[in-house]
Amino acid sequence: MGYALLAVILFAVAFCAWGALYVRHELRPDLTRSRVLTRRVQAAGPGDRCRCGGTIARTLDSSGDLLGCSGCNRMWTLDGRIIGG
């Protein structure tokens, strides 16, 4: 009777340890995917070329001073972050 009880207790402890490791594995952040999808974006400035081949220049929009492309509708803030297009 004692050996059977010991076997059941050891089985329960092993099952709990396996469950805890499985939950830990499932809840950890997946850093490899975010590193792959993250890309560096170079800030645009006046006089630079856009992807479409146009030139980036300063424009006056209804929302203030922005950088705009002469060949498409992409727009950037003055510090070079893309906001449209």
Side-chain angles (χ1 to χ4, degrees):
M1 178 77 160
Y3 290 114
L5 185 59
L6 179 64
V8 168
I9 291 172
L10 288 176
F11 178 74
V13 168
F15 186 74
C16 288
W18 175 79
L21 289 174
Y22 180 75
V23 168
R24 181 178 175 201
H25 169 75
E26 288 295 317
L27 292 179
R28 78 168 197 266
D30 188 11
L31 297 177
T32 56
R33 180 181 164 109
S34 64
R35 285 184 189 146
V36 169
L37 294 178
T38 303
R39 61 183 175 143
R40 284 188 187 226
V41 177
Q42 189 174 12
D48 290 346
R49 288 291 210 192
C50 181
R51 284 190 292 171
C52 71
T55 304
I56 297 173
R58 216 175 173 138
T59 62
L60 184 58
D61 194 49
S62 60
S63 47
D65 271 342
L66 296 173
L67 297 173
C69 176
S70 62
C72 65
N73 62 349
R74 287 186 186 94
M75 299 192 86
W76 295 264
T77 60
L78 289 178
D79 62 355
R81 294 176 292 158
I82 191 163
I83 58 170

